[in-house]
Amino acid sequence: ENPSTGLTGLKQGVESSKPEWVSDKECPFCSVCRGRFDMHRRRHHCRGCGGVFCHTCTPPPKMMLPAEWGVKEPQRCCGECANILRPMQVHLVKTNSNALRSNEVKDGGLRRYVNNPVSFTLGGEIRKSTYILNNLMSGVETVVDDISVSADILKDAKGFLFLTVAKIAFGAGVRVGTGLITLRLPPKANTKAERRWSAPCAVGLLGCSVGVEAGMETVDTIVPITDLGIIEALASGKKRLTVGKEAGMSFGPLGRSYTKHELPTTTGAQQSHFRPPPGTPAGQAPPAKTGGKRREAASYSHSKGVYGGISVQGAVLSVRHDVNLSYYGTEFAVLDILGGKVTPPENAKVLYDKIKEFEIWAGHVLPSNEDGHATMGSGGGGTTAIRSSEPRVEGADAFL
């Protein structure tokens, strides 16, 4: 007898409540292929009907469920439930995804100084990134005057990588952290509106180090993205490897570090194919060649903990596709997220507002134009980033 016969949930209509799961003990076989479950063929419950199926009979992609069920992340479903849900996916993504949830950041209190190095939601990464910017502009950590370095971070940046990384070291060390990337977008066509920022893309970092070092710390970092070849490499599925030398010290909330990284450009690429939306100013087009050259990257960080030392380190940066899927409700290509095809979510407005505040604070936004819109730089309709001298890297920590 098939215990999945007469299942509740989707198989009795979308308007019904969430299904009750069939007990594992009642289902020694897959409800579709009748294969026996064992160490290799594992059980998977369909979130649409509650039945028990094998991996092959619950194929990707995951599906958004009816809003009435109160679940905002895509879920694993059997083939039959997936066919029922597939025509509803566009509507459910637009009306019930996590990207539509409200996101609140409080400027006061101690919460702003305690960023978790590993966040499992993109909404959490947005809050972390907002706190990083907020702490750079005000609070305990600004006992050290960082305004000159902050201005250098903005220079020529086509986007930002925000990361919070935990380090543990005693001679040799490990580091792990998560964050997000957002890129500048051009104003909408035929408007004088201020510059926009892309939808966020979740990333993670894992690395190790060897040297004379000891201690534990967490590091909040802002990395300016000046080479879109980095984005192309991440989008192609190639994890981004960085190698560098670091000297740093932290005690309590006032730590700073200096890192010098030499970066290979896009692995195996001779031509950048990343193309932002039509209308991007010529000055923001990606470099024509990226093959094989190495460059240095400067960024800025605040660290907290007890740590000191000099080390040689390596790290791998990669896109967290599962976190992006849970946030947006469907699978989007990295270039679609960062290139403007995915509408910047309301959930990330707290971050966009804080970036704008940061630009004003760092002196990189000129007075408002006659229409009341902030403009960047000079010439070209006021949309080109300011060009200035080479960046200073005092107090800098580079991950890219």
Side-chain angles (χ1 to χ4, degrees), residues 228 231-232 235-236 273-275 332-342:
L228 293 180
I231 306 302
E232 184 182 350
S236 68
H273 298 289
F274 181 86
R275 292 292 181 268
F332 286 121
V334 174
L335 297 187
D336 289 343
I337 294 174
L338 296 175
K341 289 186 178 180
V342 177

Side-chain angles (χ1 to χ4, degrees), residues 193-215:
E194 61 192 25
R195 301 186 62 80
R196 301 174 297 141
W197 291 86
S198 74
C201 178
V203 294
L205 180 137
L206 180 64
C208 60
S209 59
V210 178
V212 182
E213 56 176 343

Side-chain angles (χ1 to χ4, degrees), residues 12-24:
Q12 289 189 353
V14 175
E15 299 295 330
S16 63
S17 59
K18 293 173 63 175
E20 295 183 5
W21 283 16
V22 173
S23 171
D24 289 352

Side-chain angles (χ1 to χ4, degrees), residues 316-346:
V316 173
L317 184 75
S318 58
V319 175
R320 302 174 71 196
H321 295 285
D322 57 333
V323 175
N324 286 335
L325 173 62
S326 294
Y327 182 75
Y328 292 108
T330 188
E331 293 184 7
F332 286 121
V334 174
L335 297 187
D336 289 343
I337 294 174
L338 296 175
K341 289 186 178 180
V342 177
T343 302
E346 185 67 20

Side-chain angles (χ1 to χ4, degrees), residues 42-378:
R42 309 301 298 271
R43 291 177 173 86
H44 298 280
H45 278 90
C46 169
R47 269 57 172 182
C49 64
V52 182
F53 304 87
C54 67
H55 174 81
T56 303
C57 297
T58 53
K62 295 181 178 180
M63 294 286 168
M64 291 287 288
L65 299 177
E68 294 82 1
W69 294 12
V71 180
K72 292 184 175 295
E73 295 80 18
Q75 301 294 321
R76 193 166 196 158
C77 294
C78 67
E80 184 178 348
C81 288
N83 289 335
I84 297 173
L85 286 167
R86 191 166 287 110
M88 312 173 195
Q89 290 304 291
V90 173
H91 173 73
L92 291 173
V93 167
K94 290 182 177 179
T95 59
N96 195 44
S97 68
N98 281 311
L100 301 175
R101 301 179 68 174
S102 60
N103 210 350
E104 182 179 355
V105 172
K106 296 181 179 180
D107 290 342
L110 296 178
R111 173 62 185 86
R112 58 186 284 189
Y113 300 110
V114 187
N115 277 334
N116 191 334
V118 178
S119 178
F120 296 99
T121 67
L122 192 45
E125 297 292 0
I126 290 168
R127 291 190 293 275
K128 280 170 48 178
S129 302
T130 305
Y131 284 130
I132 291 173
L133 282 174
N134 197 42
N135 294 342
L136 186 58
M137 293 185 287
S138 65
V140 174
E141 295 166 323
T142 55
V143 169
V144 180
D145 186 3
D146 299 326
I147 182 67
S148 61
V149 178
S150 303
D152 286 331
I153 290 176
L154 280 169
K155 184 187 73 67
D156 294 338
K158 297 179 175 68
F160 294 113
L161 163 64
F162 296 92
L163 279 173
T164 299
V165 178
K167 300 180 186 178
I168 301 176
F170 189 81
V174 295
R175 59 185 61 202
V176 61
T178 60
L180 65 83
I181 293 175
T182 183
L183 297 184
R184 294 183 189 271
L185 298 177
K188 293 182 179 179
N190 302 319
T191 70
K192 295 182 179 180
E194 61 192 25
R195 301 186 62 80
R196 301 174 297 141
W197 291 86
S198 74
C201 178
V203 294
L205 180 137
L206 180 64
C208 60
S209 59
V210 178
V212 182
E213 56 176 343
M216 297 183 296
E217 68 174 351
T218 60
V219 183
D220 293 330
T221 304
I222 308 173
V223 184
I225 296 174
T226 57
D227 177 11
L228 293 180
I230 293 172
I231 306 302
E232 184 182 350
L234 289 172
S236 68
K238 299 172 183 175
K239 293 179 171 59
R240 189 72 178 176
L241 176 66
T242 74
V243 179
K245 294 170 284 186
E246 178 186 44
M249 179 172 291
S250 64
F251 187 81
L254 301 178
R256 298 294 187 272
S257 58
Y258 172 76
T259 306
K260 181 177 180 181
H261 282 225
E262 289 186 348
L263 309 179
T265 55
T266 308
T267 306
Q270 296 296 322
Q271 180 74 32
S272 176
H273 298 289
F274 181 86
R275 292 292 181 268
T280 304
Q284 294 201 7
K289 302 254 184 196
T290 60
K293 295 184 180 179
R294 304 176 73 87
R295 65 179 183 84
E296 294 180 5
S299 61
Y300 189 67
S301 68
H302 284 150
S303 55
K304 295 172 284 292
V306 179
Y307 173 87
I310 301 174
S311 64
V312 176
Q313 57 183 322
V316 173
L317 184 75
S318 58
V319 175
R320 302 174 71 196
H321 295 285
D322 57 333
V323 175
N324 286 335
L325 173 62
S326 294
Y327 182 75
Y328 292 108
T330 188
E331 293 184 7
F332 286 121
V334 174
L335 297 187
D336 289 343
I337 294 174
L338 296 175
K341 289 186 178 180
V342 177
T343 302
E346 185 67 20
N347 183 265
K349 186 177 184 297
V350 290
L351 177 59
Y352 303 144
D353 290 344
K354 189 60 66 173
I355 292 176
K356 181 178 178 180
E357 182 182 340
F358 178 57
E359 290 177 322
I360 296 172
W361 176 80
H364 269 243
V365 173
L366 299 180
S368 296
N369 61 22
E370 57 195 18
D371 295 318
H373 299 297
T375 57
M376 293 288 293
S378 59

